[in-house]
Amino acid sequence: MTKDKMKTLVGVYSCALVLMALIVPVSVLASIAQSFPDTPMPVLQQIVTLPSLIAIPTGIIVSKFASKVYKKHFALFFTALYVVGGSMPVWLHSNFNQLLFSACLVGVSLGGLQNAMTTIIPDYFEGESRGTVLGLLSTFVCLGGFIYTNAAARLGAEDWTHAFYAYFICGIFFVLELIFLPKGKLEPKAEKGEHVVVPKEIIFLCVFGFVLYTFAQLFNSNEALLVAERGLGGTAEAGLASSAYTLSGLVAGVIVAPLIKIFKKQAPTVTFLFTLIGLVLYAIAPSVPVLCVAGFMIGLGYQTFTPFGGMGAANFSLALGMAFNMQLCNASSSLGQALSPFTTAFLGSFFGGSITSMIWVGVVGVAILTVCGFPYFNKVDITKPRDASAAE
């Protein structure tokens, strides 16, 4: 790999290390609840969930400027906004609306930075190296999660407002982006009568991502409740399973390239199979160790599929609209994750409404996804550019 490409990787992965700063409030959510006792818990939780929802439309809007603004400039702007918006509660915390405003700014930062980070990769990497670079994003995003979780917990131990100082860690990565991240390439400007085309292959990827994320989120949403319901332990045991789920992200980025080498065009289907195995273990888990394996497999499945979505969008998009199509894949998956508690509760209600029944609905859903994925990816190879696939 050339020296210039190594520099590009430092810049790209610096962006990835910024993304998970949005989880800073998680460590001190209980303390925040004590400071605002009249605020309902679902509203309090919005400071954690709102950024992901705000990021969906933000990323799509940012993609519309891909022909006018260099991706590096977007990355630097939204990283700086992460620092400013995320750290606001250190000084402004007299009412809960100030925290919600901070969460909104973090969401805007998340959507804009995610778009710039993923769309700059196809500008400098092609073929197998593109898949490897996209895959390793998951590893660095999860590594960032560990950094911010630990920093926020330590800083907010005595005063919850000090946890938000953790956002200043993003400043380190801002400097690295400034030094190492290349400008990226502007998309061609649309001529009169031209418009962005969303190929059918990308529509299928959006559907696959939406369904997979919907059922994979069952673990995060219900794991602690399931531990209590089955008498498997308490907070410590639930934390172990959650850690296994998070740890899978570090592994997911490393195995994308080997999956492509071994399974070739069926590599995306294998990610569905990982999730399916995890959900079956989750549904029957008689002990914490089995629950940990379930969490690891579920996390491994959906986080390994994520780079395949970006890879397929890049490979099948025209130069005009690539940023939009890549963001569309991200947005559809994030939407499935955000709506998961409502979708799975509705589907589970037809079978008794228990946590276990919702998990079994997820098993059936991902099983159908796996069965549909095999013939589809046998026909459509998303790991290769459109021209190469057509020629083959």
Side-chain angles (χ1 to χ4, degrees):
M1 185 174 290
T2 65
K3 185 177 179 180
D4 286 341
K5 287 196 173 182
M6 287 298 294
K7 288 181 177 179
T8 299
L9 288 180
V10 173
V12 169
Y13 293 139
S14 294
C15 295
L17 286 164
V18 172
L19 283 186
M20 284 301 287
L22 65 94
I23 67 171
V24 163
V26 171
S27 300
V28 291
L29 196 59
S31 298
I32 294 174
Q34 291 176 359
S35 296
F36 301 98
D38 297 329
T39 305
M41 184 54 70
V43 177
L44 285 167
Q45 291 172 333
Q46 285 183 18
I47 64 173
V48 178
T49 60
L50 192 58
S52 297
L53 292 175
I54 297 290
I56 296 173
T58 301
I60 293 175
I61 292 169
V62 167
S63 70
K64 294 294 187 179
F65 293 90
S67 63
K68 299 176 182 178
V69 181
Y70 285 106
K71 291 150 192 170
K72 176 175 183 174
H73 297 163
F74 267 140
L76 291 172
F77 173 78
F78 287 113
T79 300
L81 187 60
Y82 242 122
V83 177
V84 175
S87 63
M88 278 181 58
V90 173
W91 301 281
L92 299 174
H93 51 258
S94 59
N95 66 73
F96 191 71
N97 288 333
Q98 292 172 334
L99 272 65
L100 286 179
F101 180 65
S102 170
C104 288
L105 292 180
V106 168
V108 171
S109 307
L110 172 64
L113 182 59
Q114 185 181 46
N115 180 270
M117 175 189 74
T118 54
T119 57
I120 202 171
I121 292 172
D123 290 347
Y124 298 97
F125 298 92
E126 297 179 353
E128 186 177 318
S129 63
R130 178 184 293 176
T132 302
V133 174
L134 282 166
L136 283 170
L137 284 178
S138 297
T139 298
F140 283 91
V141 169
C142 288
L143 180 59
F146 282 113
I147 292 172
Y148 297 112
T149 299
N150 290 323
R154 290 175 180 274
L155 292 169
E158 295 185 5
D159 185 336
W160 66 263
T161 64
H162 291 176
F164 292 86
Y165 278 122
Y167 276 99
F168 285 104
I169 297 172
C170 299
I172 298 171
F173 304 124
F174 176 89
V175 174
L176 293 175
E177 291 170 23
L178 184 64
I179 297 171
F180 295 106
L181 195 66
K183 289 198 302 184
K185 301 173 183 177
L186 294 177
E187 282 191 1
K189 291 184 178 180
E191 301 294 335
K192 187 175 181 180
E194 286 187 322
H195 60 278
V196 172
V197 175
V198 181
K200 64 179 183 297
E201 293 87 355
I202 293 173
I203 294 174
F204 272 99
L205 284 174
C206 288
V207 173
F208 285 143
F210 180 89
V211 175
L212 184 67
Y213 272 59
T214 294
F215 295 122
Q217 182 62 19
L218 276 165
F219 190 83
N220 265 346
S221 301
N222 300 283
E223 173 258 333
L225 298 173
L226 191 72
V227 167
E229 182 181 277
R230 294 186 180 175
L232 301 180
T235 303
E237 288 74 16
L240 283 174
S242 181
S243 297
Y245 178 88
T246 304
L247 181 65
S248 66
L250 297 174
V251 179
V254 178
I255 68 169
V256 170
L259 281 179
I260 295 174
K261 284 184 178 180
I262 298 169
F263 298 101
K264 302 189 183 329
K265 63 176 69 175
Q266 287 296 341
T269 311
V270 175
T271 70
F272 300 159
L273 189 59
F274 286 159
T275 309
L276 178 59
I277 293 170
L279 283 170
V280 171
L281 292 174
Y282 185 31
I284 64 174
S287 64
V288 172
V290 175
L291 194 62
C292 289
V293 175
F296 183 86
M297 293 300 296
I298 293 170
L300 187 67
Y302 98 86
Q303 295 197 73
T304 308
F305 176 78
T306 302
F308 284 114
M311 192 187 310
N315 287 340
F316 282 87
S317 292
L318 300 174
L320 174 63
M322 182 181 291
F324 176 81
N325 286 328
M326 291 186 76
Q327 186 56 39
L328 194 62
C329 285
N330 288 333
S332 59
S333 298
S334 297
L335 186 62
Q337 195 170 32
L339 296 179
S340 174
F342 308 101
T343 307
T344 54
F346 172 74
L347 294 174
S349 66
F350 293 101
F351 304 95
S354 68
I355 296 173
T356 302
S357 65
M358 287 192 292
I359 298 171
W360 280 115
V361 167
V363 169
V364 173
V366 177
I368 294 172
L369 194 66
T370 306
V371 171
C372 293
F374 183 80
Y376 178 78
F377 291 116
N378 194 51
K379 183 175 67 172
V380 180
D381 187 355
I382 66 167
T383 66
K384 296 179 181 178
R386 177 200 297 268
D387 292 341
S389 298
E392 187 177 68

